[in-house]
Amino acid sequence: MKLKLKNLLKENKGLLIFIALMLVFRSAVADWNDVPTGSMKPTILEGDRILVNKMAYDIRLPFSQISLKKLADPARGDIIVFESQKAGNQLVKRVVGIPGDVVEMRDNRLYINGEALTYVTQRAHTNGQDLVENLVGIEHSVRIKRGHQPLANFPPVQVPENAYLALGDNRDNSADSRVIGFVPRHEIRGRAHHVLFSLNYDNFYLPRGDRFYHPI
């Protein structure tokens, strides 16, 4: 039995090395993640597989959360992937507040350090609209619903050191910092920057060709 196992390992040595290297790569360098919810609409859709740069902020020991070297800190506008202890799940959200920022929301409009962000209507829907939000120089789309929404307001809060305020682009359908609080720096695993590929859950899981390597 031991001889058969030894021969099997020897015959498949190349394949095993490839698998090991791929696992290391996905653990510490880059990975792709499924997006099962619509909390980041219209930027990210259900069925998108997003490409995550795991070396955007830290070099980590493979198969661990130990940071060997800090490379950068998240910036406003970054789409981050983080393991939320409070949510008990991996989440994808957008950074809107960095350490020291004072952030407020009034009727789904953000104020950062006392300055109101600007918004331009992109398209209207039967139950809401998509807006282009200018996040201190970073323009991106957000989706809001019509009428009173329970998460559309919060008083001024200051982002503490080594933490971030992160929101979903689908502002009225996202369990983000308004629900789970600030995101600790050590929970952040990487930055998402492209959709690798996408499957349309509403159309027999057929690929969405227009979202192949789509920037986000």
Side-chain angles (χ1 to χ4, degrees):
M1 185 68 181
K2 289 183 178 180
L3 183 60
K4 288 184 178 180
L5 179 59
K6 184 177 180 179
N7 289 336
L8 183 63
L9 293 175
K10 185 177 181 179
E11 291 171 0
N12 294 278
K13 182 178 178 180
L15 176 61
L16 294 174
I17 291 175
F18 173 79
I19 293 173
L21 291 175
M22 179 60 70
L23 292 174
V24 169
F25 181 86
R26 293 191 64 179
S27 171
V29 180
D31 198 2
W32 53 91
N33 294 95
D34 178 35
V35 179
T37 72
S39 68
M40 284 294 291
K41 281 184 173 180
T43 308
I44 302 175
L45 308 179
E46 297 101 322
D48 283 351
R49 268 62 172 178
I50 56 174
L51 187 60
V52 180
N53 180 4
K54 291 194 170 183
M55 295 182 64
Y57 308 121
D58 297 274
I59 297 175
R60 295 185 183 275
L61 184 68
F63 313 112
S64 80
Q65 308 306 334
I66 299 172
S67 176
L68 300 176
K69 182 177 176 60
K70 177 181 172 181
L71 299 177
D73 283 318
R76 293 190 204 97
D78 286 1
I79 297 177
I80 57 172
V81 176
F82 59 101
E83 294 286 347
S84 173
Q85 292 185 2
K86 288 189 176 179
N89 197 10
Q90 179 173 272
L91 301 178
V92 181
K93 306 296 176 187
R94 187 183 299 274
V95 173
V96 300
I98 60 177
D101 279 349
V102 176
V103 185
E104 179 183 3
M105 180 177 278
R106 305 178 200 165
D107 295 326
N108 261 320
R109 268 57 175 178
L110 282 172
Y111 293 73
I112 297 180
N113 299 323
E115 297 291 329
L117 303 191
T118 60
Y119 294 83
V120 177
T121 300
Q122 191 173 38
R123 63 180 63 87
H125 304 284
T126 54
N127 62 340
Q129 57 184 329
D130 292 349
L131 307 173
V132 176
E133 178 180 82
N134 189 330
L135 186 57
V136 195
I138 305 296
E139 292 188 344
H140 65 100
S141 298
V142 296
R143 178 165 294 178
I144 62 173
K145 292 181 179 179
R146 300 187 190 281
H148 174 74
Q149 300 297 328
L151 296 176
N153 298 274
F154 61 81
V157 293
Q158 185 168 35
V159 183
E161 187 178 356
N162 293 318
Y164 296 84
L165 195 152
L167 301 178
D169 288 349
N170 195 351
R171 292 290 161 81
D172 297 310
N173 187 25
S174 176
D176 45 41
S177 285
R178 295 168 293 181
V179 177
I180 63 173
F182 298 111
V183 178
R185 173 68 172 76
H186 69 267
E187 290 187 352
I188 299 173
R189 302 295 174 247
R191 178 184 179 185
H193 52 85
H194 280 82
V195 175
L196 190 61
F197 66 96
S198 181
L199 301 177
N200 190 340
Y201 291 168
D202 296 326
N203 189 23
F204 305 102
Y205 289 80
L206 292 175
R208 298 184 179 106
D210 60 334
R211 294 192 67 76
F212 177 78
Y213 208 64
H214 180 75
I216 55 177

